[in-house]
Structure formats: structure tokens, C-alpha cells
Amino acid sequence: MILTGGLSLSQDGKNLSEILSLKSDNNIPLFKSIEDAIENLEFDILVDFTKPEIAKHNIHTALKKAKSHCRNFRTK
């Protein structure tokens, strides 16, 4: 799996690779909302580690925007 982006209210517009000092040329943009991420990224799988009600919103939003491969993984 290749990480293509992420969500962060406080880090919107930043590059996760730079924040984590990753030795990679890959830009991993951060967005404030799932709507912004969907508009700006190509991805096949949505992995959500948030609260169930937030994950439900994110998955429904992705499905409405024609992201057909959405999976929700929860930790116990």
C-alpha cells in the first residue's frame, strides 16, 4: 500500500513526508477534510482510524464521490 495523502485539521496544506522527515521524494499532502482530499487525490482505498461516526461520514462521502473501494479498519 502506498500512502498518497492524509487528513489533519492543524496541518492542512503541509507535506507529511517533510513533517516526519522521511527520506523520500514522495509528496504526501495533508487536507482538512475528506471532501478536499477526494477532490485532489487519486486513491483506491480509504483507511480510517477515527471515531465510528467520523469514519461513517468519510466512507459515505467517498462512496458518493465514486470511490468504489472503501474499507474501514478499526483497532480493538
Side-chain angles (χ1 to χ4, degrees):
M1 187 178 331
I2 297 171
L3 183 62
T4 59
L7 302 180
S8 174
L9 291 174
S10 64
Q11 301 295 318
D12 180 38
K14 295 185 180 177
N15 179 354
L16 185 60
S17 291
E18 291 176 3
I19 293 169
L20 299 177
S21 300
L22 299 177
K23 295 180 180 179
S24 171
D25 292 333
N26 292 342
N27 181 37
I28 305 170
L30 296 174
F31 300 92
K32 66 181 175 189
S33 70
I34 189 66
E35 292 84 0
D36 289 345
I38 289 170
E39 291 296 320
N40 292 285
L41 289 176
E42 287 294 323
F43 62 90
D44 295 319
I45 298 172
L46 171 65
V47 179
D48 194 316
F49 292 104
T50 61
K51 297 177 182 179
E53 59 273 6
I54 296 170
K56 182 178 178 180
H57 165 78
N58 289 344
I59 291 167
H60 283 273
T61 300
L63 289 171
K64 286 179 190 174
K65 297 287 187 174
K67 298 296 183 182
S68 61
H69 304 292
C70 294
R71 296 183 185 170
N72 180 22
F73 297 98
R74 291 188 299 164
T75 57
K76 292 184 179 183

